[in-house]
Amino acid sequence: MKKLESREDIELLVNSFYGKVIKDEEIGLFFNEIARVDWAKHLPKMYAFWESVLFGQMSYKGNPMGAHFPINEIRAMEQKHFDRWLKLWTATVEEHFAGEDADQAIYKAENIAKLMAFKMDLARRL
Ligand code: HEM
């Protein structure tokens, strides 16, 4: 199995992940109907995000948590949605890659998702 090591690898991973996401019955609607994602803009952001998280590239300049609050206000982003997101992410990583950076891609997503789920839940209580 291939190592996750280049920008091209990240593009493949991200494209194939969102290919699953948009068809998904549980979380597809957040992207297709609620945020009505402009994929030509979103995908390059996500390449930069993962390049920064995994390879320390500093190419992502954004607010990953902040982007989700408006979505959470329209439709609650609950633990079950994060579980599903992580299941699709982990499956996509494992389909294509193995090794330390592949493990890190899963581990870091788990941590960010945990924090994000907590913040979305808190925001709904305030
Ligand atoms: C239930 C889980 C999640 C859902 C439904 C979700 C949905 C979305 C949506 C609809 C957008 C907006 C796209 C747009 O701008 O049009 C977005 C942006 C983004 N998401 Fe998520 N997301 C989830 C979890 C995560 C997790 C766990 C991460 C990180 C590991 C993440 C990272 C990002 C980033 C980096 C952006 C771009 C923010 C920016 O505009 O700079 N998301 N997400």
Side-chain angles (χ1 to χ4, degrees), residues 59-116:
S59 48
Y60 174 74
K61 294 182 180 54
N63 177 359
M65 289 295 158
H68 297 82
F69 288 112
I71 299 162
N72 185 48
E73 276 182 26
I74 300 170
R75 180 69 63 96
M77 290 172 66
E78 296 173 2
Q79 188 57 50
K80 63 177 178 189
H81 301 121
F82 286 98
D83 292 345
R84 184 66 189 159
W85 190 105
L86 277 173
K87 197 166 188 177
L88 295 178
W89 178 254
T90 303
T92 315
V93 173
E94 288 177 347
E95 247 166 56
H96 296 282
F97 302 103
E100 206 173 303
D101 283 312
D103 292 345
Q104 282 296 311
I106 295 170
Y107 178 70
K108 291 189 171 170
E110 284 170 353
N111 282 325
I112 298 167
K114 207 176 280 178
L115 182 64
M116 203 182 275

Side-chain angles (χ1 to χ4, degrees), residues 15-40:
N15 292 345
S16 121
F17 172 64
Y18 286 105
K20 287 186 172 58
V21 163
I22 55 168
K23 286 188 266 161
D24 192 72
E25 284 192 3
E26 287 178 59
I27 61 169
L29 88 165
F30 286 101
F31 297 84
N32 302 326
E33 290 166 37
I34 296 171
R36 294 178 181 273
V37 172
D38 178 347
W39 292 101

